[in-house]
């Protein structure tokens, strides 16, 4: 492949020898760039020692499992240790982080995915600025069971949600017709029209092959009936048509599977599910994108193998509100946000600044700005336009002078046409030198954009660190990756920014891996080794089970006795409460208002309840039972008397006063208030005793636990001889010694190397 001469390496003498260098580049024109040779990020998780440390951990866990499970001796402890070893035998790293590519339609998100995954034609891309991505598309490492090169899972909404969706679109569409004649605000009317247009687009997309939707005129005529009594019938008809289409696509449990061996075929196979259909009569092609929740594509790309998911999201400024709503909802589930914008617009587009500020507030340092189409620069410029540093200007001036002094070299190259080399290759020298200048300009502009964008977001930088900015050119990278022709020479691979972006993404899932591996090695593994070592020095007490049974019997008996005593206490208290309370005669003054005539009665009740309260509190003082028996609000007495008062007041009309008095007298004489009070007081007693019972049982159990612990520690008897157990102890001791040596020696060394020889 063509390796452009680094700017820093050029000197004055390079003007004389550059023709030979050009000749060398001509010989390797068709050599494609291979990303497999790109260096990994210089962080501990990608250091060779990290993989060796992980391998040592797994070897020790496997050895522990073999030691425990190969023995013929087993007890509760060894079985538990074996289970723990199996649970921790593989290091479980955090889930693959989701990197969401967000931005306006047509900014190059899909092209960027094709470049960073090194798979041209995978993501649908276009050059018109129109939306190419209509649904959320996730790119992930191939599934373990995947046999094809590419596998896509298209997940659809369930039928109930599809019905709700269609019903909502029918409502949105009909809203414009219903409200267009009403006096409403212009902004509101514009919103209604926008929703109506979206609904019509969705219907034309989903039902493109139906004669009722062969064009806008037919669709409008058909949907007009949605505002009539036929609306329900239309919804049922649409669901039936859609069910038929989904079934024809081979959906199983709401998921459609597409498997292909090449990216272009997969891309074509996904068009009916991710791209807007074409509605041209007999050439109509429907699309199910409105009812697709997500498309998951599995492939074996080196970047995805490092444990990351790349999500291509619909455009943020898409005119279709459904797609923008889907995008904004999905963004919340992303672990990292890559805001994508063309480099030519990134400094002038206010929306870019607003989104950066919004995402930094929500995601903090997990936000990056990706500037696309960075190679869109001319070779001859004024470096001052880019606010370049003196060093950069000096380099560019030096390159320009070399370029202008190459008259003789160009003449020699053109003369090669007579040697049947061809004019195109003769012009190659001019392209390469022109390209060297363009790379210098490209770097100056990239640095200018990075400085400007970081200066705008200094406040966020102080909290989250500097905003990560990567300038890329997907088109130039693709030309390098495919192997370019004689007349198309792109900037160098390094200048496209794609390798740098891949390095950034590769580092995202690896940052947390070091701490996770340390936890497994010096947390889980160390704990397992300690438990195994403890088992080898413990003597089995032959009578331990018998002693446990001895303790269990009085424990159960104590609980039973406590329960019986509590029941007796409860019975005693209840009898006290329902005891007869002398109330005396009812004295009512007929000439006074009814409620006022109750005053003497209230005094009698209060006096009687004073005696009752004293008895009750004396009976319950041992357990501090709190029962309110006075005549204040919320007391049992007042709650009991309220329905009687209400019953008395119901007597109305002439002669009601004597009838009220008679009803009150009868109620009190027959003890109605106290019958009503009884359940509430009983409930209070039971609740209080339950609490006391639990506390008392807990204290008794604590005593028995101490007794049992004393039995375990003080009763030492000879264990029964067991050859298999003794052999397992010996094997575990050997394993523990080896594990300690490995952890304190080799594993500590590998960890130190991974940390010390990495930059982050």
């Amino acid at each position: 492949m063509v390796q452009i001469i680094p700017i820093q390496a050029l000197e004055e003498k390079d003007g004389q020898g550059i023709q030979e260098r050009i000749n060398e580049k001509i010989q390797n024109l068709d050599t494609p760039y291979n990303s497999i040779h790109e260096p990994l990020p210089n962080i501990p998780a990608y250091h060779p020692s990290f993989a060796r440390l992980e391998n040592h951990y797994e070897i020790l866990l496997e050895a522990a499992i073999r030691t425990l499970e190969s023995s013929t001796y087993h007890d509760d402890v060894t079985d538990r240790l074996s289970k723990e070893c199996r649970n921790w035998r593989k290091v479980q790293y955090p889930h693959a982080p989701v990197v969401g590519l967000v931005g306006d339609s047509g900014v190059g998100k899909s092209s960027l995915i094709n470049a960073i995954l090194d798979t041209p034609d995978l993501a649908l891309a276009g050059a018109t600025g129109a939306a190419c991505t209509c649904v959320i598309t996730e790119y992930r490492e191939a599934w373990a069971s995947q046999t094809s090169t590419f596998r896509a899972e298209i997940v659809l909404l369930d039928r109930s949600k599809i019905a709700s969706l269609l019903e909502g679109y029918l409502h949105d569409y009909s809203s414009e017709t219903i409200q267009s004649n009403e006096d409403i605000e212009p902004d509101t009317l514009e919103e209604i029209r926008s929703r109506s247009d979206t609904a019509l687009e969705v219907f034309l997309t989903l039902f493109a092959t139906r004669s009722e939707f062969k064009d806008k005129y037919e669709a409008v005529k058909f949907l007009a009936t949605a505002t009539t009594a036929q609306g329900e019938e239309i919804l049922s008809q649409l669901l039936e048509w859609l069910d038929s289409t989904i079934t024809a696509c081979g959906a199983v449990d709401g998921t459609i599977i597409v498997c292909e061996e090449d990216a272009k075929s997969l891309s074509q196979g996904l068009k009916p599910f991710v791209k807007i259909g074409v509605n041209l009569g007999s050439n109509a092609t429907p699309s199910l994108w409105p009812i697709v929740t997500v498309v998951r594509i599995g492939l074996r790309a080196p970047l995805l193998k490092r444990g990351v998911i790349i999500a291509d999201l619909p455009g943020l400024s898409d005119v279709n509100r459904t797609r923008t709503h889907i995008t904004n909802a999905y963004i919340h589930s992303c672990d990292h946000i890559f805001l994508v914008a063309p480099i030519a617009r990134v400094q002038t587009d206010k929306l870019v600044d607003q989104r950066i500020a919004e995402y930094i507030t929500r995601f903090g340092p997990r936000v990056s700005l990706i500037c696309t189409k960075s190679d869109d620069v001319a070779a001859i410029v004024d470096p001052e336009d880019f606010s370049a540093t003196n060093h950069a200007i000096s380099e560019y001036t030096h390159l320009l002078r070399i370029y202008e002094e190459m008259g003789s070299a160009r003449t020699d190259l053109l003369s090669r046409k007579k040697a049947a080399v061809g004019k195109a290759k003769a012009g190659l020298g001019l392209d390469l030198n022109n390209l060297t200048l363009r790379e210098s300009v490209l770097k100056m502009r990239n640095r200018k954009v990075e400085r400007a964008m970081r200066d705008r977001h200094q406040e966020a930088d102080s909290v989250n660190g500097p905003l990560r900015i990567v300038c890329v050119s997907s088109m130039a990278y693709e030309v390098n990756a495919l192997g370019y022709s004689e007349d198309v020479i792109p900037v160098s691979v390094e200048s496209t920014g794609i390798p740098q972006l891949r390095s950034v993404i590769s580092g995202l899932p690896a940052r947390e891996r070091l701490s996770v591996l340390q936890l497994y090695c010096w947390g889980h593994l160390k704990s397992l080794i300690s438990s195994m070592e403890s088992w080898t020095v413990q003597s089995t007490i032959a009578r331990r089970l018998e002693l446990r049974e001895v303790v269990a019997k009085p424990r159960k008996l104590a609980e039973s006795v406590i329960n019986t005593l509590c029941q007796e206490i409860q019975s005693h208290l209840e009898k006290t409460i329902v005891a007869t309370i002398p109330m005396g005669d009812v004295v009512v003054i007929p000439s006074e208002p009814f409620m006022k005539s109750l005053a003497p009665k209230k005094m009698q009740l209060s006096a009687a309840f004073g005696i009752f309260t004293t008895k009750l509190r004396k009976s319950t003082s041992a357990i501090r039972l709190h029962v309110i028996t006075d005549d204040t609000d919320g007391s049992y007495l007042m709650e009991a008397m309220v329905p009687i008062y209400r019953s008395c007041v119901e007597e109305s009309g002439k002669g009601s006063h004597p009838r009220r008095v008679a009803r009150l007298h009868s109620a009190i004489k027959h003890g109605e208030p106290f019958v009503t009070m009884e359940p509430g007081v009983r409930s209070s007693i039971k609740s209080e005793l339950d609490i006391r019972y639990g506390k008392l049982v807990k204290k008794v159990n604590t005593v028995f636990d101490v007794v049992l612990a004393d039995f375990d520690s003080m009763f030492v008897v000879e264990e029964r001889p067991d050859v298999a157990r003794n052999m397992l102890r010996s094997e575990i001791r050997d394993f523990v010694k080896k594990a300690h040596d490995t952890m304190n020696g080799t594993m500590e060394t590998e960890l130190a190397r991974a940390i010390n020889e990495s930059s982050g």
Side-chain angles (χ1 to χ4, degrees):
M1 65 154 287
V2 176
Q3 290 289 343
I4 302 304
I5 303 169
I7 294 173
Q8 294 81 354
L10 287 170
E11 300 176 358
E12 291 289 344
K13 61 182 180 181
D14 291 326
Q16 302 172 359
I18 199 165
Q19 181 177 343
E20 287 76 13
R21 301 187 183 194
I22 291 172
N23 289 338
E24 293 175 4
K25 295 169 179 41
I26 293 173
Q27 304 304 318
N28 298 313
L29 266 181
D30 297 323
T31 303
Y33 175 75
N34 191 341
S35 62
I36 199 69
H37 302 300
E38 287 179 2
L40 291 168
N42 188 21
I43 56 180
Y46 289 125
H47 192 280
S49 289
F50 184 91
R52 290 194 289 268
L53 176 60
E54 188 179 49
N55 187 50
H56 283 304
Y57 169 84
E58 293 179 355
I59 289 174
L60 287 178
L61 261 293
E62 292 296 334
I65 293 172
R66 285 195 307 272
T67 301
L68 291 167
E69 297 185 356
S70 62
S71 174
T72 57
Y73 178 82
H74 298 282
D75 60 23
D76 292 343
V77 177
T78 59
D79 289 344
R80 176 180 58 80
L81 290 173
S82 178
K83 184 177 180 181
E84 289 182 12
C85 287
R86 288 194 170 277
N87 288 340
W88 303 117
R89 70 193 304 175
K90 286 288 184 183
V91 181
Q92 299 295 322
Y93 294 108
H95 72 281
V98 177
V99 179
L101 300 187
V102 300
D104 292 336
S105 299
V107 298
K109 299 189 296 294
S110 298
S111 300
L112 182 62
I113 286 177
N114 290 338
I116 60 178
L117 296 183
D118 254 339
T119 313
D121 301 319
L122 178 59
L124 292 171
T128 62
C132 297
T133 305
C134 292
V135 300
I136 298 164
T137 308
E138 295 179 350
Y139 298 88
R140 55 179 61 213
E141 169 63 3
W143 287 274
S145 60
Q146 181 174 330
T147 56
S148 57
T149 306
F150 299 94
R151 184 178 190 268
E153 291 185 355
I154 302 127
V155 183
L156 308 177
L157 293 170
D158 61 44
R159 198 175 190 280
S160 62
K161 290 183 179 179
I162 292 175
S164 299
L165 185 75
L166 293 178
E167 187 175 12
Y169 280 132
L170 284 173
H171 177 270
D172 289 346
Y173 177 77
S174 59
S175 294
E176 182 181 9
T177 305
I178 295 172
Q179 302 185 37
S180 59
N181 296 323
E182 297 181 6
D183 185 17
I184 57 178
E185 295 291 331
D187 290 345
T188 304
L189 182 60
E190 181 63 28
E191 174 74 17
I192 292 171
R193 286 174 176 169
S194 176
R195 289 202 302 265
S196 179
D197 291 343
T198 297
L200 182 59
E201 178 193 349
V202 168
F203 288 128
L204 289 170
T205 296
L206 289 172
F207 307 106
T209 56
R210 303 293 311 181
S211 59
E212 293 85 350
F213 293 91
K214 66 180 181 181
D215 53 40
K216 272 193 175 183
Y217 173 78
E218 292 295 334
V220 170
K221 185 171 71 172
F222 177 78
L223 293 172
T225 56
T227 60
T228 69
Q230 300 179 26
E232 289 295 328
E233 296 179 11
I234 288 179
L235 179 60
S236 298
Q237 183 64 73
L238 294 176
L239 276 172
E240 184 181 335
W241 289 342
L242 205 50
D243 285 341
S244 177
T245 303
I246 293 172
T247 302
C249 292
V252 177
D253 296 330
T255 301
I256 300 169
I257 306 297
V258 177
C259 297
E260 296 291 349
E261 293 303 323
D262 63 275
K264 194 166 187 178
S265 297
L266 180 75
S267 180
Q268 293 299 316
L270 291 179
K271 275 188 177 180
F273 309 104
V274 301
K275 192 173 177 63
I276 297 175
V278 178
N279 200 288
L280 296 173
S282 59
N283 295 322
T285 58
S287 174
L288 294 180
W289 74 258
I291 62 170
V292 175
T293 60
V294 65
V295 175
R296 301 188 178 101
I297 298 176
L299 65 152
R300 294 175 177 83
L303 180 62
L304 300 178
K305 192 174 182 180
R306 291 162 195 160
V308 66
I309 296 173
I310 311 293
D312 190 5
L313 278 63
L316 294 172
S317 298
D318 197 320
V319 294
N320 187 301
R321 295 178 182 270
T322 299
R323 291 195 288 266
T324 56
H325 174 74
I326 291 171
T327 298
N328 289 323
Y330 184 86
I331 285 174
H332 291 282
S333 65
C334 292
D335 298 290
H336 299 270
I337 293 297
F338 282 16
L339 180 60
V340 183
I343 195 170
R345 284 172 34 203
V346 74
Q347 291 181 261
T348 57
D349 192 340
K350 293 182 179 179
L351 273 177
V352 173
D353 284 328
Q354 292 175 10
R355 288 166 182 163
I356 290 175
E358 175 189 347
Y359 295 147
I360 287 178
T361 301
R362 190 186 308 174
F363 293 93
R366 294 176 291 131
V367 177
S368 301
L369 175 62
I370 312 301
C371 303
T372 56
K373 306 175 184 178
S374 64
D375 66 328
D376 185 18
V377 292
I380 310 299
V381 297
D382 184 355
E384 298 289 347
D385 294 339
F386 297 116
S387 304
T389 62
N390 292 334
H391 177 69
I393 293 174
S394 175
E395 284 184 339
Y396 177 77
T397 304
H398 174 58
L399 286 168
L400 185 59
R401 184 167 61 252
I402 294 174
Y403 179 69
E404 292 171 347
E405 290 175 353
M406 286 192 60
S408 59
R410 287 196 289 271
T411 301
D412 291 341
L413 286 168
L414 289 172
S415 68
R416 294 173 63 184
K417 180 180 179 181
K418 298 179 181 179
V421 175
K423 185 177 180 180
K425 284 193 176 181
L428 176 61
L430 302 178
D431 289 338
L432 286 171
N433 288 279
N434 184 30
L435 187 62
T436 306
L437 287 170
R438 287 184 62 223
E439 291 200 9
S440 177
V441 175
L442 182 149
K443 291 180 180 178
M444 285 191 288
R445 182 178 64 173
N446 289 354
R447 289 167 186 158
K448 176 190 175 184
V449 170
E450 291 172 9
R451 286 195 304 270
M453 297 306 293
R454 288 197 178 105
D455 288 345
R456 289 186 188 180
H457 300 278
Q458 285 182 356
E459 293 183 6
D461 291 355
S462 62
V463 178
N464 303 302
L467 175 67
R468 185 190 292 117
I469 303 174
V470 183
C471 301
V472 299
S473 172
S474 304
M475 185 179 297
Y477 177 82
E478 184 177 348
V479 176
N480 275 286
L482 293 176
Y484 39 85
S485 60
E486 298 170 350
D487 55 348
V488 180
I489 309 298
V491 295
S492 65
V493 173
E494 291 74 17
S495 297
T496 66
I498 296 298
Q500 179 190 354
L501 180 57
R502 265 199 291 259
S503 178
V504 169
I505 296 174
S506 296
L508 300 180
R511 298 290 177 186
E512 299 179 10
R513 292 195 169 196
L514 179 63
S515 58
V516 172
L517 184 56
Q518 285 177 299
L519 172 63
Y520 273 76
C521 291
W522 285 273
H524 302 321
L525 178 58
K526 188 174 181 180
S527 175
L528 285 169
I529 293 172
S530 177
S531 297
M532 293 173 70
E533 188 175 19
S534 297
W535 181 84
T536 63
V537 298
Q538 289 179 349
S539 296
T540 303
I541 301 175
R543 293 181 55 197
R544 179 169 293 172
L545 293 177
E546 298 175 10
L547 293 173
R548 288 182 180 276
E549 292 178 2
V550 169
V551 173
K553 290 178 181 178
R555 187 198 297 266
K556 290 181 180 179
L557 179 61
E559 292 180 5
S560 176
V561 171
I562 294 171
N563 184 51
T564 301
L565 290 173
C566 286
Q567 289 179 355
E568 291 178 358
I569 293 172
Q570 182 174 345
S571 176
H572 170 71
L573 292 174
E574 290 176 356
K575 288 178 181 179
T576 304
I577 289 171
V578 298
T580 304
I581 301 175
M583 299 303 298
D585 296 330
V586 178
V587 180
V588 178
I589 304 174
S591 62
E592 293 184 359
F594 172 67
M595 295 306 294
K596 186 175 181 180
S597 68
L598 296 178
K601 188 61 196 171
K602 184 176 180 181
M603 293 176 61
Q604 294 177 18
L605 289 172
S606 296
F609 260 82
I611 299 171
F612 170 71
T613 300
T614 301
K615 291 181 179 180
L616 181 61
R617 289 177 178 168
K618 185 177 180 180
S619 302
T620 61
S621 60
I623 63 169
R624 300 178 184 176
L625 183 65
H626 301 290
V627 179
I628 302 174
T629 57
D630 57 23
D631 60 350
T632 58
D633 290 341
S635 69
Y636 293 127
L637 173 60
M638 291 304 294
E639 290 179 4
M641 292 301 293
V642 165
I644 296 178
Y645 288 165
R646 189 180 297 116
S647 174
C648 292
V649 174
E650 287 176 355
E651 295 288 348
S652 60
K654 190 175 181 180
S656 60
H657 184 69
R659 292 196 300 275
R660 290 176 178 176
V661 172
R663 181 173 290 196
L664 176 63
H665 177 75
S666 176
I668 295 177
K669 184 176 181 180
H670 293 89
E672 287 184 19
F674 313 110
V675 173
T676 308
M677 287 170 53
E678 186 180 336
V681 179
R682 286 179 185 271
S683 177
S684 292
I685 293 172
K686 187 177 186 307
S687 176
E688 185 69 23
L689 287 175
D690 285 344
I691 295 173
R692 299 293 170 176
Y693 171 77
K695 291 181 178 178
L696 190 55
V697 168
K698 185 176 181 180
K699 289 181 179 179
V700 171
N701 280 332
T702 301
V703 174
F704 282 111
D705 288 341
V706 172
V707 172
L708 188 60
D710 288 342
F711 281 166
D712 285 346
S713 60
M714 297 175 63
F715 277 77
V716 180
V717 298
E718 290 188 12
E719 61 183 9
R720 296 190 180 99
D722 192 314
V723 176
R725 182 184 60 230
N726 293 337
M727 184 177 296
L728 178 58
R729 284 178 178 169
S730 176
E731 291 174 355
I732 288 179
R733 290 190 186 101
D734 292 342
F735 165 77
V736 168
K737 183 179 183 305
K738 178 182 177 182
H740 280 311
D741 292 343
T742 303
M743 290 183 67
N744 298 329
T746 308
M747 293 176 69
E748 288 281 6
T749 302
E750 297 292 5
L751 176 64
R753 285 177 182 168
I755 295 175
N756 298 332
E757 297 178 10
S758 302
S759 60

